[in-house]
């Protein structure tokens, strides 16, 4: 195998469901990691690891963390998933995607170790091991790792975090994580470690999860108790343009609270971003003794963060909003964010989703905000059909005359652009694949 595409096809072929193949568990990946000698290399490198889990908000928190640490002058390795356009997006060094050469070498190393122990790996397990090989070869000073699914049994959890982050808990991936918030929360906090900090951005974290964190002796930073944020009032009735962050270390008195005021709003759009930014700042605070980050680096890192597909607004006319929202909580945030944008005469919705998602729960918050719908299947065997999407929209009160169907997100987006006027807005959402196809249509990289 000589090219990245050849390697990716080989890795996909290891599992009968390809990229979508999921087999949670750490046994296989641990054996291959030990064959690679990763535990010895990680001990020698001594680079702190921040592991981020959560139903929504993971990508934003990871981006903030990586940028703040980068602005502080550290060599940062960042691992995320899935990618939008190119696989290389998943593995970054100080914001720059990994080169094909670095990935090919890492894949060869993982494949040799896998064959030596006679095990097969899922796509995500293989690529997680490869990401660590890239980071070790680069000699990074800190790693920010995003959990792929859940937490406790996710391949990323093989690596011992110095700080864990759970951005939120909502119903998603119930087939693997459980069908209640309590069950899902217990899976996500599986990334916590005894005596180590865990930053929890869910104010209503289920009690069984909080109880388990106490039992294992994790140092819990809970939003609203240990840290928080608040917008500062604007001058003379103008909208707020600054916000304040506060932190109270667990076990300290209220008067010992630390405050950071006069912060500019972060680069990512939407009210939820203050929560994500405060969560990232708290994780940074937990590592200040090992990786000092000055407030100047924090301010720059937050302000200069960009992230494709997370309420990404591309100016028009017509304006285009790209959002990978694919569960009800994320859809509610998207609907709220849209309500705070300037008036649009008509909002055109380009939608493709996976059939195993809560389609009605995602479409319901947006049923009234969007007045013209462009439905599309996705290039994935799990894709919902346009008939499924249309039936659900009609059940939500959307008129059949307001719905059109297309072959793929590109053609749906092209139709929306043709129909939209300068005062309209296009909103593409429902899946990473939906957003990726529209970005390709625009000739943009992620």
């Amino acid at each position: 195998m000589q090219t990245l595409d050849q390697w990716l096809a080989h890795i996909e072929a290891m599992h009968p469901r390809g990229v979508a193949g999921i087999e949670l568990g750490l046994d296989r990946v641990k054996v291959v990691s030990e064959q690679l000698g990763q535990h010895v290399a990680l001990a020698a490198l001594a680079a702190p690891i921040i592991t981020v889990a959560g139903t929504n908000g993971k990508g934003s928190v990871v981006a903030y963390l990586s940028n703040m640490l980068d602005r502080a002058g550290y060599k940062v390795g960042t691992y995320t998933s899935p990618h939008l356009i190119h696989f290389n997006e998943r593995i970054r060094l100080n914001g720059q995607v990994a080169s094909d050469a670095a990935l090919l070498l890492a894949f060869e190393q993982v494949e040799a170790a896998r064959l030596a122990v006679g095990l097969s790996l899922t796509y995500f397990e293989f690529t997680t091991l490869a990401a660590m090989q890239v980071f070790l070869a680069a000699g990074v000073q800190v790693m920010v790792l995003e959990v792929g699914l859940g937490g406790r049994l996710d391949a990323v959890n093989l690596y011992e975090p110095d700080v864990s982050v759970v951005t939120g808990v909502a119903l998603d991936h119930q087939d693997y994580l459980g069908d209640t918030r309590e069950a899902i929360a217990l899976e996500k906090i599986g990334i916590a470690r005894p005596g180590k900090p865990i930053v929890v951005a869910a104010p209503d974290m289920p009690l069984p999860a909080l109880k388990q964190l106490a039992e294992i002796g994790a140092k819990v930073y809970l939003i609203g108790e240990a840290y928080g944020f608040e917008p500062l009032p604007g001058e003379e009735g103008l909208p707020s343009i600054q916000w304040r962050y506060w932190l109270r270390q667990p076990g300290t008195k209220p008067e010992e609270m630390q405050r950071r005021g006069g912060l500019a709003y972060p680069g990512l759009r939407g009210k939820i971003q203050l929560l994500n930014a405060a969560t990232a700042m708290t994780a940074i605070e937990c590592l200040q003794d090992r990786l000092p980050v000055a407030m100047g680096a924090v301010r720059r890192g937050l302000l200069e963060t960009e992230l494709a597909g997370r309420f990404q607004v591309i100016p028009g006319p017509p304006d285009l909003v790209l959002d990978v929202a694919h569960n009800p909580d994320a859809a509610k945030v998207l609907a709220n964010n849209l309500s705070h944008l300037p008036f649009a005469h008509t909002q055109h919705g380009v939608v493709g989703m996976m059939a195993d998602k809560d389609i009605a729960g995602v479409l319901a918050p947006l049923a009234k905000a969007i007045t013209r719908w462009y439905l599309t299947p996705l290039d994935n065997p799990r894709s919902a059909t346009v008939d499924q999407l249309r039936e659900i929209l009609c059940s939500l009160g959307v008129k059949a005359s307001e719905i059109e169907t297309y072959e793929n997100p590109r053609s749906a987006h092209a139709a929306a652009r043709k129909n939209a006027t300068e005062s309209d807005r296009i909103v593409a959402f429902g899946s990473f694949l939906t957003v990726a196809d529209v970005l390709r249509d625009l000739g943009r990289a992620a």
Side-chain angles (χ1 to χ4, degrees):
M1 287 169 284
Q2 303 296 318
T3 68
L4 184 58
D5 286 342
Q6 290 173 337
W7 267 106
L8 292 174
H10 171 69
I11 298 167
E12 289 176 23
M14 287 186 196
H15 196 281
R17 291 185 62 195
V19 178
I22 297 172
E23 290 183 30
L24 295 178
L26 300 180
D27 293 341
R28 296 178 303 277
V29 73
K30 181 179 180 181
V31 172
V32 180
S33 175
E34 289 176 349
Q35 179 68 23
L36 285 163
Q38 288 186 342
H39 56 300
V40 175
L42 282 168
L45 186 64
I49 293 176
I50 305 174
T51 301
V52 183
T55 308
N56 297 308
K58 288 182 298 183
S60 298
V61 170
V62 166
Y64 289 136
L65 284 167
S66 300
N67 280 352
M68 287 189 286
L69 291 163
D70 171 80
R71 302 312 187 268
Y74 297 109
K75 192 167 190 178
V76 188
T78 305
Y79 179 53
T80 62
S81 63
H83 59 276
L84 282 171
I85 308 296
H86 302 293
F87 175 86
N88 311 57
E89 299 163 24
R90 296 181 180 223
I91 304 170
R92 296 177 184 256
L93 297 168
N94 290 94
Q96 301 300 309
V97 300
S99 67
D100 283 9
L103 291 173
L104 292 176
L105 176 59
F107 288 164
E108 290 169 0
Q109 293 167 341
V110 175
E111 179 70 347
R114 182 188 73 80
L115 292 173
V117 297
L119 289 174
S120 63
L121 297 169
T122 67
Y123 183 95
F124 186 76
E125 289 172 339
F126 195 107
T127 55
T128 299
L129 290 165
M132 186 56 64
Q133 289 299 104
V134 172
F135 297 153
L136 289 170
V140 299
Q141 295 171 289
V142 57
M143 300 179 214
V144 184
L145 309 180
E146 179 185 345
V147 166
L149 177 64
R152 181 175 65 93
L153 298 176
D154 186 86
V156 165
N157 200 34
L158 174 69
Y159 306 109
E160 288 295 308
D162 295 272
V163 179
S164 304
V165 179
V166 175
T167 60
V169 178
L171 294 176
D172 201 3
H173 300 293
Q174 289 98 311
D175 290 348
Y176 298 98
L177 305 180
D179 56 7
T180 66
R181 287 189 73 247
E182 288 74 13
I184 293 172
L186 288 171
E187 290 297 322
K188 293 190 183 301
I189 65 158
I191 64 172
R193 297 295 190 271
K196 298 288 183 67
I198 178 168
V199 183
V200 179
D204 57 347
M205 175 65 77
L207 289 177
L210 293 176
K211 181 180 179 181
Q212 184 161 311
L213 288 173
E215 289 175 350
I216 69 173
K219 190 175 181 181
V220 180
Y221 289 76
L222 181 63
I223 182 70
E225 292 185 8
Y227 76 98
F229 62 93
E230 55 185 337
L232 296 177
E235 295 182 5
E236 299 180 0
L238 295 175
S240 173
I241 60 172
Q242 294 184 329
W243 63 289
R244 178 189 293 123
Y245 164 80
W246 59 266
L247 171 70
R248 191 175 81 185
Q249 294 287 351
T252 62
K253 299 177 181 179
E255 56 268 25
E256 296 177 291
M257 181 185 295
Q258 305 170 37
R259 291 182 174 84
R260 301 285 187 270
L263 295 167
Y265 273 63
L268 301 181
R269 294 170 177 257
K271 284 188 173 182
I272 195 69
Q273 293 304 333
L274 292 187
L275 169 61
N276 292 333
T279 299
M281 288 178 66
T282 304
I284 291 289
E285 287 288 340
C286 291
L287 283 176
Q288 283 286 10
D289 58 335
R290 294 179 63 185
L291 293 175
V293 177
M295 277 306 298
V298 169
R299 293 175 189 274
R300 283 191 59 205
L302 294 178
L303 187 62
E304 296 172 4
T305 293
E306 298 178 352
L307 190 59
R310 275 68 164 193
F311 200 59
Q312 180 184 3
V313 179
I314 299 176
D319 290 345
L320 170 64
V321 175
L322 300 174
D323 200 300
V324 297
H326 55 267
N327 59 57
D329 277 16
K332 291 173 185 175
V333 171
L334 172 58
N336 182 62
N337 288 341
L338 288 172
S339 72
H340 289 88
L341 289 180
F343 172 78
H345 185 269
T346 299
Q347 291 197 129
H348 304 254
V350 175
V351 186
M353 292 190 65
M354 298 297 187
D356 55 3
K357 299 299 180 182
D358 181 358
I359 298 175
V362 171
L363 297 180
L366 294 150
K368 293 183 179 179
I370 291 174
T371 51
R372 193 163 181 176
W373 296 82
Y374 304 76
L375 309 183
T376 170
L378 301 173
D379 185 17
N380 187 287
R382 293 165 47 219
S383 174
T385 67
V386 291
D387 289 338
Q388 289 173 310
L389 296 173
R390 178 167 45 202
E391 181 179 351
I392 291 173
L393 276 177
C394 290
S395 73
L396 294 171
V398 177
K399 297 177 181 178
S401 59
E402 297 171 346
I403 301 173
E404 302 174 19
T405 60
Y406 293 88
E407 295 181 353
N408 52 53
R410 292 188 185 190
S411 58
H413 174 241
R417 287 187 61 85
K418 181 179 178 180
N419 293 333
T421 67
E422 291 187 0
S423 60
D424 290 352
R425 179 181 297 122
I426 300 171
V427 185
F429 70 99
S431 169
F432 278 83
L433 295 178
T434 310
V435 170
D437 261 15
V438 174
L439 282 171
R440 289 191 190 96
D441 191 37
L442 296 171
R444 285 175 171 256

